[in-house]
């Protein structure tokens, strides 16, 4: 299913020359002690609601009154080839930028467009105490705050007060995400990362969610010299992913056109078929987490199964 593109890719060329020595990375330094905070957009080049949100922050001339604030556009090369007639082509050039963050890959000898960019960004990521990574989804689905396997990310998301659905997952077999890198995944470290899935890639509501999430994040981490804003808190629930559904063959098909966050009442309900194999819900009230047929190939996670805490 193709969804309409209701938002325009922002002109980010004006942000190419930052002050950090790396293109499209801006480090706003108060010169005073405080946390090092980072917001990243365009981890996936086809997910530009977050880039629009950063554009808004730049235009507001925000500046930290303590600590440092790093604003980064990540996979700009992939974003640059965005084409309304083939929008998914802008997702990445060679490989998924958000699967290369393990030291074995990042510090290894393998080369790709995404690895080169990740190696440029690594010093900023490794210096960040608190990280917000802005994403969107192929299917129209309520926003989800991805917290990896980290309870401290859940705690950060609760301080932000939105969105309603917080996700503890099991990672991706294909590789480590930025938010799982190093101390972000160490329960003993205070460093924490969250990843927001704002909604459908090109829905206007996803831009609103991205902007709201940035504001809530900045409010929570407290680096800006502006009156602390009051954001309405909504009831938040944690979804624990118990297992991924990974395609084994190109014949993988969902049993229903899942969009995400559906709750399947009964255990044993058919989720998908895959060349004769059946996937069924392992328990009652099973939640479909971020289903997508978009990137079907053997070894790809097609949907994750979870339940509310
Ligand atoms: Zn993404």
């Amino acid at each position: 299913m193709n969804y309409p593109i209701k938002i325009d890719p922002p002109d980010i060329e004006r942000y190419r020359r930052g002050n950090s020595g790396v293109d499209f990375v801006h480090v706003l330094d108060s010169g005073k002690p405080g946390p090092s905070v980072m917001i990243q957009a365009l981890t996936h080049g086809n997910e530009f609601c977050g880039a629009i949100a950063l554009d808004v922050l730049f235009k507001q001339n925000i500046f930290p009154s303590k600590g440092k604030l790093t604003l980064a556009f990540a996979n700009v090369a992939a974003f640059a080839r965005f084409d309304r007639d083939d929008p998914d082509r802008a997702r990445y050039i060679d490989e998924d930028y958000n699967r290369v963050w393990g030291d074995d890959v990042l510090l290894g000898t393998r080369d790709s467009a995404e690895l080169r960019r990740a190696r440029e960004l690594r010093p900023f990521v490794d210096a960040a105490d608190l990280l917000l990574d802005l994403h969107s989804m192929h299917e129209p689905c309520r926003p989800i705050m991805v917290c990896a396997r980290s309870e401290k990310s859940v705690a950060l998301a609760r301080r932000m007060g939105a969105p309603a659905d917080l996700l503890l997952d099991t990672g991706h077999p294909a590789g480590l995400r930025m938010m799982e890198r190093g101390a972000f995944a160490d329960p003993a470290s205070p460093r924490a990362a969250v990843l927001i899935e704002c909604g459908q890639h090109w829905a206007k509501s996803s831009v609103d969610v991205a902007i709201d999430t940035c504001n809530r994040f900045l409010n929570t981490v407290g680096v800006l010299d502006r009156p602390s804003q009051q954001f309405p808190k909504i009831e938040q629930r944690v979804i624990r992913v118990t297992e991924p559904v990974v395609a084994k063959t190109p014949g993988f098909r969902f049993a229903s056109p899942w969009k995400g966050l559906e709750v399947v009442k009964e255990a044993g309900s058919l989720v998908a078929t895959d060349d004769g194999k059946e996937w069924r819900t392992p328990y009652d009230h099973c939640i479909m987490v971020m289903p997508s047929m978009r990137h079907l190939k053997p070894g790809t996670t097609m949907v994750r199964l979870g339940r509310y805490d």
Side-chain angles (χ1 to χ4, degrees):
M1 169 96 194
N2 290 318
Y3 295 102
I5 300 171
K6 300 270 195 186
I7 58 176
D8 293 318
D11 175 13
I12 62 166
E13 189 51 37
R14 72 190 81 176
Y15 306 121
R16 177 182 293 275
R17 294 272 169 261
N19 58 348
S20 69
V22 174
D23 282 357
F24 296 101
V25 177
H26 295 246
V27 179
L28 312 177
D29 187 351
S30 70
K32 300 193 182 94
S36 182
V37 169
M38 179 168 177
I39 305 179
Q40 176 179 265
L42 297 179
T43 295
H44 294 127
N46 59 334
E47 303 177 1
F48 51 79
C49 63
I52 297 173
L54 284 199
D55 187 30
V56 168
L57 292 181
F58 276 115
K59 286 174 176 162
Q60 291 172 344
N61 291 315
I62 62 163
F63 200 81
S65 57
K66 56 183 172 184
K68 280 182 199 171
L69 173 60
T70 298
L71 302 176
F73 300 93
N75 201 342
V76 288
F79 170 66
R81 60 183 201 176
F82 179 77
D83 174 354
R84 284 178 175 269
D85 294 327
D86 187 7
D88 289 324
R89 211 175 142 259
R91 187 169 179 81
Y92 55 74
I93 306 272
D94 297 323
E95 62 179 320
D96 191 327
Y97 172 87
N98 209 24
R99 302 287 183 271
V100 300
W101 290 88
D103 275 352
D104 53 337
V105 179
L106 200 56
L107 308 183
T109 54
R110 198 162 68 70
D111 181 50
S112 72
E114 279 70 25
L115 269 167
R116 285 195 291 278
R117 185 61 175 156
R119 284 165 185 152
E120 287 183 339
L121 271 283
R122 181 175 73 90
F124 305 97
V125 175
D126 286 350
D129 297 310
L130 297 160
L131 170 71
L132 169 63
D133 194 9
L134 300 164
H135 289 247
S136 55
M137 297 176 274
H138 179 70
E139 299 294 337
C141 174
R142 296 199 301 275
I144 300 172
M145 189 71 94
V146 179
C147 299
R149 285 174 253 209
S150 172
E151 297 286 349
K152 60 190 180 177
S153 300
V154 171
L156 175 56
R158 286 198 188 282
R159 286 168 62 208
M160 291 166 68
D165 292 278
L166 314 180
L167 185 73
L168 283 169
D169 65 25
T170 53
H172 287 282
L176 209 66
R177 291 167 291 186
M178 176 189 281
M179 68 175 310
E180 296 167 298
R181 178 171 172 72
F184 291 138
D186 176 3
S189 163
R191 296 177 59 213
V194 285
L195 184 163
I196 181 79
E197 299 280 4
C198 294
Q200 209 285 329
H201 294 323
W202 309 300
K204 285 185 175 158
S205 59
S206 297
V207 174
D208 297 337
V209 171
I211 293 169
D212 180 67
T213 305
C214 286
N215 283 326
R216 285 173 182 271
F217 178 72
L218 290 169
N219 201 49
T220 300
V221 300
V223 290
L224 295 189
D225 192 13
R226 68 180 184 194
S228 190
Q229 288 173 263
Q230 290 300 317
F231 292 94
K233 290 214 173 203
I234 55 178
E235 190 188 335
Q236 292 177 298
R237 293 196 290 180
V238 172
I239 301 168
R240 278 181 200 272
V241 170
T242 58
E243 58 200 275
V245 172
V246 179
K248 294 199 167 50
T249 78
F252 183 97
R253 296 290 179 272
F254 285 125
S256 292
W258 311 111
K259 300 276 183 265
L261 299 182
E262 292 93 345
V263 180
V264 180
K265 256 190 182 164
E266 286 180 20
S269 302
L270 190 63
V271 173
T273 55
D274 192 356
D275 196 26
K277 177 184 163 55
E278 289 185 345
W279 289 90
R280 290 183 179 273
T281 51
Y283 37 77
D284 289 349
H285 306 293
C286 180
I287 305 166
M288 299 291 129
V289 178
M290 283 186 270
S292 180
M293 285 293 289
R294 211 61 187 173
H295 309 285
L296 170 60
K297 58 182 181 198
T300 303
T301 299
M302 306 303 293
V303 63
R304 287 168 277 177
L305 306 180
R307 51 183 152 196
Y308 285 114
D309 254 7

